[in-house]
Amino acid sequence: MQTAAEVRKRPKDRKAQLALAAAELFCERGYHGVSIDEIATVVGISGPAIYRHFPNKYAMLVHATRQLAGTVLTATDGITELDELLGVLARLGVEGRRVAGLYQWEWRYLTGEHRDEFRAGLTEFVRRLAGPLLTARPDLTEPGADALVRAALSVFGSLGTHRAAIAKGRAEAALHRVATAVLHDEPPTPAPVAPLPDETPGTRVGARREILLAEAVKLFHRYGYHAVGVEEIGRAAGINASSVYRYFPGKADILAAAFYRASERVAETTAVALSGAADDEDALRRMTESYVELTFERSALVSVYLAENNNLPDADRHELRKLQRLHVEEWVGLLGRLRPEVPAAEARVLVHAALNVVADLSRWVHFDRRTGMDGHLVRLMRTVLTA
């Protein structure tokens, strides 16, 4: 039997506390990279004690995503003024920075029923913003308002995609200002198009290692890293699983190779854009165009690069974060020359917001150029960077 002291020590909100700890760990390390015992350690209880509140780790993911959606919907309930809504969302974006990855990536591990539930909450949230936006801008169509709202949500969620330090008040003000500028931009209205047909097998050309890497990237992009085995990668490349190990020690090494390849592509396009620019203004134009072009041209590689960071081996993850920071600093340096009045910490927030808008909206249209989204994203990046 519990003592009175033990009863007093157990907080009344233990379930919410556990869900928050789980959400932060899922966003930091990836859902599959977190154990029940690790969540328990953060909260200061034993692993078995978690089962008083949740039957398993998946139930914690469900609760965390519901909590995220519920927090946003509750905070915006009854608010009809667009600027007030944006202020609330800027605050939530800063306060919920450590769990924003649930909205960005980790919700994909939900199964059908719970995924539909999460999408329904997002749809309701988009509707709440789109209504006041249409009132403020009667020139917009509903699809146009919907697209602009999704771009603004990407701005608010971008703070969770990086660790750059910035004061809370300055971060809120920057997110509010940028989202306002996005909602007043021309709408990216993707043209309705028929779904692209599934890829048909073709002749594989190139060194076996390159073929393996290319096929692995396609599979990771389509199904997620954890749903793909070495056997499937080998089969896609036309070899058996044991032969894969001649080229890569394991699946994680294939993922790391894909990340290094993506990082190389980003560095190459940035260098070309900067070296060929007439001035800083021209450099900004060239960099935005080349980044969007790379995103659509190498969509599978870029998607894996953005989504699977938590599944990298520790050494590779730390090294690649250094390379990512170097890329961001190229943008920050350019923005600093064009807008010297903007502090570097704020410039980093703007850069990450612009990159995140490209990631989110290109995925939204399934990287389909026929929608015309690539051209719209070039303009949206500039809007975010100059807001």
Side-chain angles (χ1 to χ4, degrees):
M1 180 177 292
Q2 290 179 315
T3 66
E6 288 173 329
V7 171
R8 284 196 299 272
K9 287 180 181 178
R10 181 186 296 175
K12 293 180 180 179
D13 61 346
R14 176 70 83 194
K15 188 168 186 175
Q17 185 184 28
L18 283 166
L20 177 60
E24 291 180 351
L25 286 173
F26 294 158
C27 294
E28 180 184 346
R29 303 182 199 171
Y31 172 70
H32 288 286
V34 178
S35 70
I36 286 285
D37 287 339
E38 287 173 316
I39 298 169
T41 298
V42 169
V43 179
I45 62 175
S46 66
I50 284 183
Y51 296 107
R52 300 190 188 118
H53 307 279
F54 296 99
N56 50 45
K57 187 175 74 170
Y58 178 75
M60 301 181 82
L61 177 64
V62 172
H63 189 87
T65 52
R66 284 175 175 167
Q67 203 166 42
L68 176 65
T71 296
V72 175
L73 290 173
T74 299
T76 57
D77 188 35
I79 301 177
T80 57
E81 292 296 325
L82 185 60
D83 191 63
E84 185 180 355
L85 279 168
L86 296 181
V88 170
L89 294 176
R91 174 177 58 80
L92 292 178
V94 174
E95 292 177 353
R97 181 177 189 176
R98 296 184 64 183
V99 298
L102 289 175
Y103 161 73
Q104 195 79 13
W105 297 109
E106 298 308 310
W107 71 277
R108 64 192 163 140
Y109 296 116
L110 296 171
T111 56
E113 175 189 354
H114 297 126
R115 187 177 296 189
D116 290 343
E117 178 185 333
F118 188 76
R119 282 174 173 155
L122 177 60
T123 299
E124 167 60 20
F125 182 48
V126 169
R127 185 191 65 78
R128 288 188 184 183
L129 266 176
L133 178 59
L134 285 165
T135 300
R137 294 191 58 185
D139 58 301
L140 291 177
T141 63
E142 288 189 9
D146 183 74
L148 287 177
V149 165
R150 289 177 186 277
L153 294 182
S154 183
V155 169
F156 292 123
S158 66
L159 210 60
T161 66
H162 62 94
R163 302 179 179 183
I166 184 170
K168 179 178 180 293
R170 185 175 289 278
E172 284 189 25
L175 294 179
H176 191 159
R177 184 180 74 248
V178 173
T180 299
V182 165
L183 292 180
H184 285 82
D185 203 345
E186 288 301 309
T189 50
V193 294
L196 287 168
D198 291 336
E199 287 186 18
T200 54
T203 303
R204 298 182 179 90
V205 179
R208 181 64 68 187
R209 187 180 189 277
E210 292 302 309
I211 294 171
L212 277 167
L213 185 58
E215 295 300 331
V217 166
K218 292 177 187 176
L219 291 170
F220 293 157
H221 170 52
R222 182 174 298 178
Y223 303 111
Y225 174 78
H226 284 279
V228 176
V230 172
E231 295 80 5
E232 287 91 347
I233 296 171
R235 190 181 309 119
I239 61 176
N240 58 41
S242 61
S243 296
V244 174
Y245 296 106
R246 297 177 187 172
Y247 305 94
F248 297 98
K251 188 175 73 164
D253 300 281
I254 302 176
L255 179 65
F259 266 72
Y260 285 112
R261 179 60 51 80
S263 183
E264 290 166 6
R265 295 287 182 267
V266 170
E268 287 168 4
T269 57
T270 300
V272 170
L274 290 175
S275 64
D279 52 31
D280 288 334
E281 187 67 36
D282 186 42
L284 181 64
R285 178 188 63 79
R286 291 169 64 93
M287 282 184 67
T288 54
E289 289 175 353
S290 63
Y291 187 79
V292 172
E293 172 70 20
L294 176 66
T295 300
F296 279 80
E297 180 183 325
R298 297 297 184 100
S299 58
L301 183 61
V302 171
S303 290
V304 171
Y305 182 69
L306 295 170
E308 304 293 354
N309 178 73
N310 290 326
N311 294 311
L312 287 166
D314 287 343
D316 292 305
R317 183 166 63 251
H318 293 316
E319 180 61 27
L320 282 156
R321 278 179 178 163
K322 292 178 186 176
L323 296 175
Q324 289 167 345
R325 283 195 292 270
L326 287 174
H327 174 239
V328 168
E329 289 307 307
E330 290 278 13
W331 286 90
V332 172
L334 176 59
L335 198 57
R337 294 192 295 275
L338 288 168
R339 303 184 63 191
E341 77 282 3
V342 178
E346 186 173 329
R348 290 187 187 93
V349 169
L350 298 182
V351 169
H352 281 289
L355 299 179
N356 201 49
V357 168
V358 175
D360 284 350
L361 268 68
S362 59
R363 287 203 324 274
W364 181 46
V365 298
H366 307 290
F367 303 95
D368 191 342
R369 289 183 183 276
R370 298 175 300 166
T371 63
M373 182 59 82
D374 50 347
H376 288 297
L377 284 173
V378 170
R379 187 182 65 249
L380 275 175
M381 281 194 82
R382 185 175 182 82
T383 296
V384 171
L385 293 169
T386 58

